[in-house]
Amino acid sequence: MKKKKLLQRIFVIPSLIVLLSLLAVFMLFQIISDQYIKTLTNDALKNEMNNLGNITYDTENENSSETIDNDLADTSLIVPVMHLVIDTNGRLVFPAPPWYYDYEVKTAKTITEIIADKPDSYEDSPHKLNVNDNFYLVQAKNYTGIIENGVFVPDDSDKNSADYYVLFYINITPMQNFIDKVNLVLMAALALSGIGSIFFLFLTTRQVNKDFEKLKAYLLSIGKHKLKETDKPVSNYSEIEAVITAVNEMSEMLLESENVQKRFFQNASHELRTPLMSIQGYAEGIKYHVIPENEATDVILKESGKMASLINEILFLSKMETTEPEFENVNIAELMAEVSDNFRLMAKENNINILCETEVKPIISADIKLLDRLLGNLVSNGIRYAKSEIKLSCEISDNNIVIKVSDDGNGIAKEDLPHIFERFYKGKGGKFGIGLSMASDIAKLHKGRLEVNSGEEGTVFKLSLPQISHTFS
């Protein structure tokens, strides 16, 4: 399946959104302006029709202007309404000569000629007409009235009244021209803003693409171990800069992991080479009858046992790093008692007494095999350094289970203390340098921590693990 390009989507989709938004603004303006003109002209025509007699012909009443509807007064200032009067034969009877302006004659005659044949078809709604390159809205209405002094007066009570059609018309050309000019300005503004937005998006996506290309090259240089300080890319965008920072941190972690792995193999090789050389030397001594067999076999068995123990430690460490812990509810007091019993014989051979004291029996979620290995490493470490006693205790502090394994030895040397949890680091009297580092790793797997306090009066290892739901008193 062909993958989509992120940068294309970043550029194309926002560009389409910008263009569609601008188009929507333009269309919305068109709809609003057309609706406004329609409403304004319709109201003006309607008011003129309803107030025809009051406006033009009630000359005897000086206060007649007060009867004009306020809406009519408002709209007439913006949209002046003109009207013509034709008789039933389609003859123009108002306005009558003399004409003041030639264009009035031309406009009146043209509108009359267009409508004269069927004026009743213009009664329902306004019609748009093109007259002499001008646009007019025209609507007709039938009235009963008289022609008095060349002027039409609506009056259905006079015996001389007759039917006439009054043609109301509005010249909408100025408004249309204004709307057209506004449309041009709006289109230009929208076009410029659209082009500017798309150009800005193009520059942004191009810069982002360059940053990604630099980041890709940087990642490849990390993979090929050809990384230089000058190769680190710089971006103006905080998101990409955050990725670069994360990549740098990941690179440092990978480098540290590789260094740890190298040290691991170097130390493991060294630890295995020493007993192997002893075994090889004594085996050759047996072969050439240089060393007595009983003496050589004791050494070979001892060194091979040492190798087997180291290999078991390494295998357990590898399994721990590649296998997820199997958590279950573990009674810490019972586990501590079991570990103490397992090492009691070894401690007795070294004239050391193991005490296990727990006031509570807390339950935690843990991998019992890993936790057993952790406590076993701490106790076996204590047996090598204690003078006469090793003590295991347990308490609850701040919702944590705190397990202490202490001995009454001479303490850990100050120069060794910062390094005792490092893999393959051996202090004075150390064995392989794996046990304590493994114990620390197991504590971390259980979201806990392993700490040490040491002095002339002895050493205390303190293991803190998160507590779960309940304890048994």
Side-chain angles (χ1 to χ4, degrees), residues 264 310-323 373 423-424 433-435 437-439 441-442:
F264 175 83
L310 175 59
I311 291 171
N312 287 334
E313 290 284 330
I314 294 174
L315 290 175
F316 187 88
L317 187 63
S318 176
K319 182 180 179 181
M320 184 185 73
E321 291 179 344
T322 57
T323 306
R373 190 62 173 248
R423 195 167 294 178
F424 285 107
I434 296 178
S437 68
M438 184 187 297
D441 291 341
I442 293 173

Short mmCIF file of all heavy atoms in Angstrom, two decimals, residues 264 310-323 373 423-424 433-435 437-439 441-442:
data_model
loop_
_atom_site.label_atom_id
_atom_site.label_comp_id
_atom_site.label_asym_id
_atom_site.label_seq_id
_atom_site.Cartn_x
_atom_site.Cartn_y
_atom_site.Cartn_z
N PHE A 264 30.72 -5.46 29.55
CA PHE A 264 30.18 -6.74 30.00
C PHE A 264 30.97 -7.90 29.39
O PHE A 264 31.41 -8.82 30.09
CB PHE A 264 28.70 -6.83 29.62
CG PHE A 264 28.08 -8.16 29.93
CD1 PHE A 264 27.61 -8.44 31.20
CD2 PHE A 264 27.96 -9.14 28.95
CE1 PHE A 264 27.03 -9.67 31.49
CE2 PHE A 264 27.39 -10.37 29.23
CZ PHE A 264 26.92 -10.63 30.50
N LEU A 310 29.59 -18.46 37.47
CA LEU A 310 29.59 -17.22 36.70
C LEU A 310 28.66 -17.33 35.50
O LEU A 310 27.90 -16.39 35.19
CB LEU A 310 31.01 -16.89 36.25
CG LEU A 310 31.17 -15.68 35.32
CD1 LEU A 310 30.64 -14.42 36.00
CD2 LEU A 310 32.62 -15.50 34.91
N ILE A 311 28.71 -18.46 34.79
CA ILE A 311 27.85 -18.64 33.62
C ILE A 311 26.38 -18.62 34.02
O ILE A 311 25.54 -18.04 33.33
CB ILE A 311 28.21 -19.96 32.90
CG1 ILE A 311 29.60 -19.82 32.25
CG2 ILE A 311 27.16 -20.31 31.84
CD1 ILE A 311 30.15 -21.10 31.69
N ASN A 312 26.07 -19.24 35.16
CA ASN A 312 24.67 -19.21 35.64
C ASN A 312 24.22 -17.78 35.94
O ASN A 312 23.08 -17.40 35.65
CB ASN A 312 24.54 -20.08 36.90
CG ASN A 312 24.60 -21.56 36.59
OD1 ASN A 312 24.27 -21.99 35.48
ND2 ASN A 312 25.04 -22.36 37.56
N GLU A 313 25.14 -16.99 36.53
CA GLU A 313 24.81 -15.59 36.81
C GLU A 313 24.55 -14.83 35.51
O GLU A 313 23.58 -14.07 35.41
CB GLU A 313 25.96 -14.93 37.58
CG GLU A 313 26.15 -15.40 38.99
CD GLU A 313 25.10 -14.83 39.93
OE1 GLU A 313 24.61 -13.72 39.68
OE2 GLU A 313 24.75 -15.51 40.92
N ILE A 314 25.41 -15.06 34.53
CA ILE A 314 25.26 -14.36 33.25
C ILE A 314 23.98 -14.78 32.55
O ILE A 314 23.24 -13.95 31.99
CB ILE A 314 26.48 -14.62 32.35
CG1 ILE A 314 27.73 -13.96 32.96
CG2 ILE A 314 26.25 -14.08 30.94
CD1 ILE A 314 29.01 -14.27 32.23
N LEU A 315 23.68 -16.08 32.55
CA LEU A 315 22.45 -16.57 31.92
C LEU A 315 21.21 -16.00 32.61
O LEU A 315 20.24 -15.62 31.96
CB LEU A 315 22.43 -18.11 31.95
CG LEU A 315 23.43 -18.81 31.04
CD1 LEU A 315 23.39 -20.32 31.25
CD2 LEU A 315 23.14 -18.48 29.57
N PHE A 316 21.25 -15.96 33.95
CA PHE A 316 20.11 -15.42 34.68
C PHE A 316 19.94 -13.93 34.37
O PHE A 316 18.83 -13.43 34.17
CB PHE A 316 20.30 -15.61 36.19
CG PHE A 316 19.09 -15.24 37.00
CD1 PHE A 316 18.09 -16.15 37.25
CD2 PHE A 316 18.94 -13.94 37.49
CE1 PHE A 316 16.97 -15.81 37.99
CE2 PHE A 316 17.82 -13.58 38.22
CZ PHE A 316 16.84 -14.52 38.46
N LEU A 317 21.05 -13.22 34.27
CA LEU A 317 21.02 -11.79 33.95
C LEU A 317 20.45 -11.57 32.56
O LEU A 317 19.62 -10.67 32.33
CB LEU A 317 22.43 -11.21 34.04
CG LEU A 317 22.57 -9.70 33.90
CD1 LEU A 317 21.85 -8.98 35.01
CD2 LEU A 317 24.05 -9.32 33.89
N SER A 318 20.87 -12.39 31.59
CA SER A 318 20.36 -12.27 30.22
C SER A 318 18.86 -12.57 30.17
O SER A 318 18.10 -11.87 29.50
CB SER A 318 21.12 -13.23 29.31
OG SER A 318 20.59 -13.22 28.01
N LYS A 319 18.44 -13.60 30.89
CA LYS A 319 17.01 -13.95 30.91
C LYS A 319 16.19 -12.84 31.55
O LYS A 319 15.09 -12.52 31.08
CB LYS A 319 16.83 -15.26 31.68
CG LYS A 319 15.38 -15.74 31.72
CD LYS A 319 15.26 -17.05 32.49
CE LYS A 319 13.80 -17.50 32.55
NZ LYS A 319 13.64 -18.76 33.31
N MET A 320 16.73 -12.24 32.61
CA MET A 320 16.01 -11.16 33.29
C MET A 320 15.81 -9.96 32.37
O MET A 320 14.79 -9.28 32.41
CB MET A 320 16.78 -10.75 34.54
CG MET A 320 16.09 -9.70 35.40
SD MET A 320 17.11 -9.18 36.77
CE MET A 320 18.33 -8.18 35.92
N GLU A 321 16.80 -9.69 31.51
CA GLU A 321 16.73 -8.52 30.64
C GLU A 321 15.85 -8.75 29.42
O GLU A 321 15.43 -7.80 28.77
CB GLU A 321 18.14 -8.13 30.18
CG GLU A 321 19.00 -7.57 31.30
CD GLU A 321 20.39 -7.22 30.84
OE1 GLU A 321 20.78 -7.69 29.74
OE2 GLU A 321 21.11 -6.49 31.56
N THR A 322 15.58 -10.01 29.07
CA THR A 322 14.80 -10.30 27.86
C THR A 322 13.41 -10.85 28.15
O THR A 322 12.64 -11.07 27.23
CB THR A 322 15.56 -11.31 26.98
OG1 THR A 322 15.83 -12.50 27.73
CG2 THR A 322 16.86 -10.71 26.49
N THR A 323 13.10 -11.08 29.42
CA THR A 323 11.81 -11.68 29.78
C THR A 323 11.04 -10.74 30.70
O THR A 323 11.63 -10.17 31.63
CB THR A 323 12.01 -13.04 30.48
OG1 THR A 323 12.83 -13.88 29.67
CG2 THR A 323 10.67 -13.73 30.73
N ARG A 373 15.92 -14.01 44.17
CA ARG A 373 17.31 -13.84 43.74
C ARG A 373 17.89 -12.56 44.34
O ARG A 373 19.06 -12.54 44.76
CB ARG A 373 17.35 -13.77 42.21
CG ARG A 373 18.74 -13.83 41.61
CD ARG A 373 19.41 -15.17 41.95
NE ARG A 373 20.67 -15.34 41.26
CZ ARG A 373 20.89 -16.24 40.31
NH1 ARG A 373 19.91 -17.04 39.92
NH2 ARG A 373 22.07 -16.35 39.74
N ARG A 423 27.86 -3.01 37.04
CA ARG A 423 28.06 -4.39 36.62
C ARG A 423 29.56 -4.71 36.47
O ARG A 423 30.30 -3.94 35.86
CB ARG A 423 27.33 -4.63 35.31
CG ARG A 423 27.16 -6.09 34.96
CD ARG A 423 26.15 -6.24 33.83
NE ARG A 423 24.81 -5.85 34.28
CZ ARG A 423 23.75 -5.83 33.50
NH1 ARG A 423 23.86 -6.17 32.22
NH2 ARG A 423 22.57 -5.49 33.98
N PHE A 424 29.98 -5.83 37.03
CA PHE A 424 31.35 -6.34 37.00
C PHE A 424 32.33 -5.49 37.81
O PHE A 424 33.54 -5.64 37.67
CB PHE A 424 31.87 -6.49 35.56
CG PHE A 424 31.28 -7.68 34.85
CD1 PHE A 424 30.34 -7.50 33.87
CD2 PHE A 424 31.66 -8.97 35.18
CE1 PHE A 424 29.78 -8.58 33.21
CE2 PHE A 424 31.11 -10.06 34.53
CZ PHE A 424 30.17 -9.87 33.54
N GLY A 433 31.14 -9.40 40.69
CA GLY A 433 30.69 -8.04 40.37
C GLY A 433 29.36 -8.01 39.64
O GLY A 433 29.05 -7.04 38.94
N ILE A 434 28.58 -9.09 39.78
CA ILE A 434 27.28 -9.16 39.09
C ILE A 434 26.12 -9.10 40.09
O ILE A 434 25.08 -8.51 39.82
CB ILE A 434 27.18 -10.45 38.26
CG1 ILE A 434 28.21 -10.44 37.14
CG2 ILE A 434 25.79 -10.60 37.65
CD1 ILE A 434 28.22 -11.69 36.28
N GLY A 435 26.31 -9.70 41.27
CA GLY A 435 25.20 -9.87 42.21
C GLY A 435 24.50 -8.59 42.60
O GLY A 435 23.27 -8.49 42.52
N SER A 437 24.68 -5.54 41.19
CA SER A 437 24.10 -4.84 40.04
C SER A 437 22.79 -5.51 39.62
O SER A 437 21.83 -4.84 39.24
CB SER A 437 25.09 -4.82 38.88
OG SER A 437 25.29 -6.12 38.34
N MET A 438 22.77 -6.85 39.70
CA MET A 438 21.54 -7.58 39.39
C MET A 438 20.45 -7.25 40.40
O MET A 438 19.28 -7.05 40.03
CB MET A 438 21.82 -9.08 39.39
CG MET A 438 20.63 -9.94 39.00
SD MET A 438 20.96 -11.69 39.23
CE MET A 438 22.31 -11.93 38.08
N ALA A 439 20.81 -7.16 41.67
CA ALA A 439 19.83 -6.83 42.71
C ALA A 439 19.23 -5.45 42.45
O ALA A 439 18.02 -5.25 42.60
CB ALA A 439 20.49 -6.88 44.08
N ASP A 441 18.97 -3.91 39.53
CA ASP A 441 18.11 -4.00 38.35
C ASP A 441 16.77 -4.63 38.68
O ASP A 441 15.72 -4.20 38.18
CB ASP A 441 18.80 -4.81 37.24
CG ASP A 441 20.00 -4.08 36.66
OD1 ASP A 441 20.09 -2.85 36.84
OD2 ASP A 441 20.85 -4.75 36.05
N ILE A 442 16.77 -5.65 39.54
CA ILE A 442 15.51 -6.30 39.93
C ILE A 442 14.64 -5.31 40.70
O ILE A 442 13.41 -5.27 40.51
CB ILE A 442 15.80 -7.56 40.78
CG1 ILE A 442 16.48 -8.63 39.91
CG2 ILE A 442 14.51 -8.12 41.37
CD1 ILE A 442 16.96 -9.85 40.68
#
